[in-house]
Amino acid sequence: MPRPPETVGYQFNHTMMRIKDPKRSIQFYTEVLGMDFISEAKFESFTLYFFAYDHSGGALTAREKKNSRFNREGVLELTHNHGTENDPDFQGYASGNTEPGKGFGHIAITVPDVAAACERFERLGVPFKKRLQDGTMKHIAFLLDPDGYWIEVVPPKIKLTADDDD
Amino acid sequence: MPRPPETVGYQFNHTMMRIKDPKRSIQFYTEVLGMDFISEAKFESFTLYFFAYDHSGGALTAREKKNSRFNREGVLELTHNHGTENDPDFQGYASGNTEPGKGFGHIAITVPDVAAACERFERLGVPFKKRLQDGTMKHIAFLLDPDGYWIEVVPPKIKLTADDDD
């Protein structure tokens, strides 16, 4: 069916996940996955951290990045509830992939060369949920982020079923 | 820090959530939220459905859409495990926002006019987690999708804290 005209201009802006420790998560998403740290918003009991891939080649100013936070697609919002990083009783967050709490599955990043990317992730010590050689899907991998969320690593083009394009 | 050169070309491609009933979810994401149904991939025990906003003004062919599935940002992947839609014992999926299973928070869509969008969602009978007038954040709303996942509705520019740009 045609797109409802009232929805013109809508964007799938962001995905939010809670994190235990911003220090390790910021390092992971910027230094390992290469996302750009766009901005943070600090509140009394929590802080929001925003990330997105910089497709401008570094041309955006800090202000432009910050203003792009709700005006583009592919943004990741990480919520840190203050204190979890030092709380010995904090149990950690659910990944969404095991009971109870199953529902959310994963986020995914597209990379130009999955094998090269996975070699680098191995060198950097990133834990894998599924290496390329595991299971039947040999062209995709799953990493675990610092909180145990699954991150799928996919090539730009992928054949999922027999009726897919080559 | 500068972006690691090995990550050039990376994209935040998609977010995956499990759904109980594809019929109601496809209707919601296309007819209510206005996403474009890009493709599906059917396997023996589950089917994957892919959605994304069409920013081409309808210029893409079905094949181009399908090929864009892993080669753009802002894609939503919904996973249907066959049979849940008719299983009286199926308990439903966790939204990620209550214990146990807390971790994942929400997805968010940016809309040009939040008030107008929310009026339309009300008319269409979409359940709200938070209406514009609820709470302290008067410029954002939260919808509930058919599985109870939270969907934030945000304007393109938003002031989160005192140090944010106007």
Side-chain angles (χ1 to χ4, degrees):
Chain A
M1 63 152 263
R3 177 174 188 172
E6 298 94 332
T7 68
V8 169
Y10 283 23
Q11 299 175 88
F12 177 8
N13 173 245
H14 71 252
T15 297
M16 189 280 267
M17 308 187 300
R18 295 175 181 85
I19 56 163
K20 175 183 177 180
D21 183 346
K23 193 174 163 189
R24 64 178 193 178
S25 291
I26 291 172
Q27 184 191 24
F28 177 78
Y29 282 99
T30 60
E31 295 182 25
V32 178
L33 293 194
M35 286 188 182
D36 205 25
F37 174 68
I38 293 181
S39 72
E40 65 180 79
K42 198 167 188 172
F43 296 85
E44 189 173 332
S45 62
F46 64 94
T47 301
L48 311 176
Y49 297 92
F50 295 88
F51 304 85
Y53 281 111
D54 175 10
H55 303 299
S56 78
L60 295 179
T61 65
R63 177 178 286 242
E64 286 169 333
K65 278 189 210 176
K66 199 172 190 177
N67 286 337
S68 77
R69 185 175 46 184
F70 296 106
N71 201 8
R72 59 164 287 173
E73 300 198 318
V75 175
L76 179 66
E77 176 185 3
L78 300 180
T79 296
H80 172 230
N81 291 302
H82 301 159
T84 51
E85 72 280 21
N86 298 316
D87 180 359
D89 295 329
F90 180 70
Q91 300 289 317
Y93 290 116
S95 76
N97 293 298
T98 50
E99 302 291 1
K102 199 170 179 174
F104 171 63
H106 60 259
I107 60 171
I109 56 167
T110 299
V111 306
D113 183 334
V114 177
C118 287
E119 279 172 30
R120 176 172 165 269
F121 296 141
E122 292 275 10
R123 280 201 308 276
L124 295 172
V126 179
F128 280 75
K129 174 70 187 172
K130 176 208 169 306
R131 289 184 167 76
L132 283 176
Q133 62 268 32
D134 300 333
T136 55
M137 305 280 274
K138 305 295 186 195
H139 51 298
I140 62 170
F142 278 91
L143 309 175
L144 296 175
D145 96 336
D147 287 278
Y149 294 115
W150 295 13
I151 301 177
E152 189 178 8
V153 183
V154 296
K157 201 167 174 187
I158 187 173
K159 185 170 174 158
L160 282 177
T161 58
D163 65 329
D164 273 359
D165 294 320
D166 284 316
Chain B
M1 62 151 262
R3 179 174 186 170
E6 299 95 331
T7 68
V8 169
Y10 283 23
Q11 299 176 87
F12 176 9
N13 174 246
H14 72 252
T15 297
M16 189 280 266
M17 308 187 301
R18 296 174 180 86
I19 56 163
K20 176 183 177 179
D21 183 347
K23 194 173 162 190
R24 64 178 191 176
S25 291
I26 291 172
Q27 184 191 24
F28 177 78
Y29 282 99
T30 60
E31 296 182 24
V32 177
L33 293 194
M35 287 186 181
D36 206 23
F37 174 68
I38 293 181
S39 71
E40 65 180 80
K42 199 167 187 172
F43 296 84
E44 190 173 330
S45 62
F46 65 93
T47 301
L48 311 176
Y49 297 91
F50 295 88
F51 304 84
Y53 280 111
D54 174 11
H55 302 298
S56 79
L60 295 179
T61 65
R63 177 179 287 243
E64 287 169 332
K65 277 188 210 176
K66 200 173 189 177
N67 285 337
S68 77
R69 185 175 45 186
F70 296 106
N71 200 8
R72 60 163 287 173
E73 299 199 319
V75 174
L76 180 66
E77 176 184 4
L78 299 180
T79 296
H80 173 230
N81 291 302
H82 300 159
T84 51
E85 72 280 21
N86 298 314
D87 179 359
D89 295 328
F90 179 70
Q91 300 289 318
Y93 290 116
S95 76
N97 293 297
T98 50
E99 302 291 1
K102 198 169 178 174
F104 171 63
H106 59 260
I107 60 171
I109 55 167
T110 298
V111 306
D113 184 332
V114 176
C118 286
E119 277 172 31
R120 177 172 166 269
F121 296 141
E122 290 276 10
R123 280 201 309 276
L124 295 172
V126 179
F128 280 76
K129 173 70 188 173
K130 176 210 170 304
R131 288 183 167 78
L132 283 177
Q133 63 268 30
D134 300 332
T136 55
M137 306 279 274
K138 305 296 187 196
H139 51 299
I140 62 170
F142 278 91
L143 310 175
L144 296 174
D145 96 337
D147 287 276
Y149 294 114
W150 294 13
I151 301 177
E152 190 178 9
V153 183
V154 296
K157 201 167 173 186
I158 188 174
K159 184 170 175 158
L160 281 178
T161 58
D163 66 328
D164 273 0
D165 294 321
D166 284 316

